[in-house]
Amino acid sequence: MSKNPIGIFDSGIGGTSILKEIHTLLPKENIIYLADSKNAPYGNKSESEILQLSIKNTEYLLKQNCKLIVVACNTATTNSISYLRKSYSVPFIGIEPAIKPAALNTATKTVGILATKGTLSSQLFHQTSNLHAHGIKVIEQVGEGIVPLIETGNLESEEMKALLQTYLEPMIAQNIDYLVLGCTHYPYLIPMLTEMLPKDVKIIDSGLAVAKQTKSILASNGILNTSTNKTSVKLYTNGNIEVLNSILNHQFDTSYFDF
Ligand code: DGL
């Protein structure tokens, strides 16, 4: 069982930001990653559509004997993780916008969250926000249009810059000192965001926290891979393989597969 792969899925290539953190922290783990780019973006879909896609991805990964599944997508986590946990016996790790550290550390008592419509409108997001951001002004911004641009490889385009400008301006005007990235595609924008934000605004991305949580759950279940065999990290996309390879700097083994 411990040699079985970790399964990871996202609506597309964004979750590779999590895959990289997991692979760095857990280099002995075999990994299968699904980029469901054909169905991206999930962020504008209904809760039941997101749930159906999450079930499809989970069942594919379980057929590959995955021992644990990382839902490397805030939209899929906030709309489906409780169902997945109830329905399948493997452990699930999810990702949600990291409001807690931002709310705990903000000096201006104002934080910004950039995430998809599906995440910001979910019940789970509201519960977390109400729990941790009491007395803090949380500026929620839907990152409409960002995921499709990343999925088509237009990461550093003028169009992206213009979109980000529109989303950041009101937050900057209201004096945020933390920007929470609530979508796993967004860490790829950190260089651009850093240039555009005032120097004292800190960016929070939860990739490393997810990797640490994955390690801790594998350890507590006694399924960390201790084998010294060569590790296999395999990525499947049902979308554009060129864009996937280019975002990964051709570092991993990728294939096109219509799952
Ligand atoms: N990476 C997904 C997330 O974390 C993107 C969602 C989408 O496809 O809209 O929310």
Side-chain angles (χ1 to χ4, degrees), residues 5-69:
I6 293 174
I8 307 179
F9 75 83
D10 178 38
S11 63
I13 61 179
T16 57
S17 60
I18 307 287
L19 163 89
K20 288 183 197 165
E21 299 280 7
I22 292 177
H23 181 58
T24 305
L25 190 69
L26 296 163
K28 287 185 183 165
E29 295 297 331
N30 297 307
I31 300 177
I32 298 180
Y33 179 95
L34 296 183
D36 193 13
S37 296
K38 186 174 77 173
N39 294 303
Y42 282 11
N44 291 338
K45 296 191 189 317
S46 69
E47 189 179 347
S48 81
E49 282 174 307
I50 298 166
L51 179 60
Q52 287 317 313
L53 291 166
S54 300
I55 291 172
K56 165 189 75 87
N57 298 330
T58 297
E59 295 199 342
Y60 180 78
L61 290 169
L62 291 177
K63 273 197 206 125
Q64 314 304 311
N65 297 317
C66 289
K67 61 182 176 182
L68 172 147
I69 292 180

Side-chain angles (χ1 to χ4, degrees), residues 9-18 33 36 39-45 50 71-78 95 115-119 143 146-148 151 181-187:
F9 75 83
D10 178 38
S11 63
I13 61 179
T16 57
S17 60
I18 307 287
Y33 179 95
D36 193 13
N39 294 303
Y42 282 11
N44 291 338
K45 296 191 189 317
I50 298 166
V71 183
C73 174
N74 292 259
T75 313
T77 299
T78 50
I95 179 163
T116 69
K117 184 163 154 249
T119 295
I146 297 179
V147 168
E151 286 290 320
L181 302 186
C183 170
T184 55
H185 282 70
Y186 301 168

Side-chain angles (χ1 to χ4, degrees), residues 5-224:
I6 293 174
I8 307 179
F9 75 83
D10 178 38
S11 63
I13 61 179
T16 57
S17 60
I18 307 287
L19 163 89
K20 288 183 197 165
E21 299 280 7
I22 292 177
H23 181 58
T24 305
L25 190 69
L26 296 163
K28 287 185 183 165
E29 295 297 331
N30 297 307
I31 300 177
I32 298 180
Y33 179 95
L34 296 183
D36 193 13
S37 296
K38 186 174 77 173
N39 294 303
Y42 282 11
N44 291 338
K45 296 191 189 317
S46 69
E47 189 179 347
S48 81
E49 282 174 307
I50 298 166
L51 179 60
Q52 287 317 313
L53 291 166
S54 300
I55 291 172
K56 165 189 75 87
N57 298 330
T58 297
E59 295 199 342
Y60 180 78
L61 290 169
L62 291 177
K63 273 197 206 125
Q64 314 304 311
N65 297 317
C66 289
K67 61 182 176 182
L68 172 147
I69 292 180
V70 179
V71 183
C73 174
N74 292 259
T75 313
T77 299
T78 50
N79 287 278
S80 72
I81 201 142
S82 52
Y83 177 89
L84 298 176
R85 286 190 173 130
K86 264 187 263 160
S87 310
Y88 304 97
S89 59
V90 295
F92 284 86
I93 310 288
I95 179 163
E96 284 181 67
I99 298 187
K100 192 178 171 182
L104 278 175
N105 295 305
T106 174
T108 62
K109 303 282 172 233
T110 312
V111 303
I113 301 204
L114 192 59
T116 69
K117 184 163 154 249
T119 295
L120 293 176
S121 60
S122 69
Q123 236 186 337
L124 189 57
F125 172 77
H126 284 287
Q127 275 167 13
T128 314
S129 184
N130 291 338
L131 188 69
H132 299 299
H134 207 70
I136 307 287
K137 184 167 177 190
V138 179
I139 304 170
E140 298 173 15
Q141 176 63 56
V142 173
E144 186 68 42
I146 297 179
V147 168
L149 278 180
I150 297 177
E151 286 290 320
T152 48
N154 289 301
L155 215 62
E156 277 152 23
S157 56
E158 281 305 311
E159 208 180 338
M160 180 68 85
K161 202 168 179 188
L163 264 188
L164 293 180
Q165 196 80 47
T166 325
Y167 300 151
L168 297 181
E169 254 166 28
M171 297 190 189
I172 296 169
Q174 290 173 79
N175 206 18
I176 60 159
D177 58 356
Y178 280 86
L179 174 66
V180 178
L181 302 186
C183 170
T184 55
H185 282 70
Y186 301 168
Y188 285 110
L189 303 173
I190 289 176
M192 201 179 237
L193 289 168
T194 309
E195 251 178 53
M196 298 172 80
L197 286 166
K199 294 241 167 322
D200 52 348
V201 176
K202 290 168 261 326
I203 298 173
I204 301 197
D205 139 44
S206 359
L208 181 59
V210 171
K212 287 183 177 165
Q213 175 70 355
T214 304
K215 185 175 180 182
S216 137
I217 297 295
L218 287 174
S220 64
N221 282 271
I223 49 173
L224 271 168

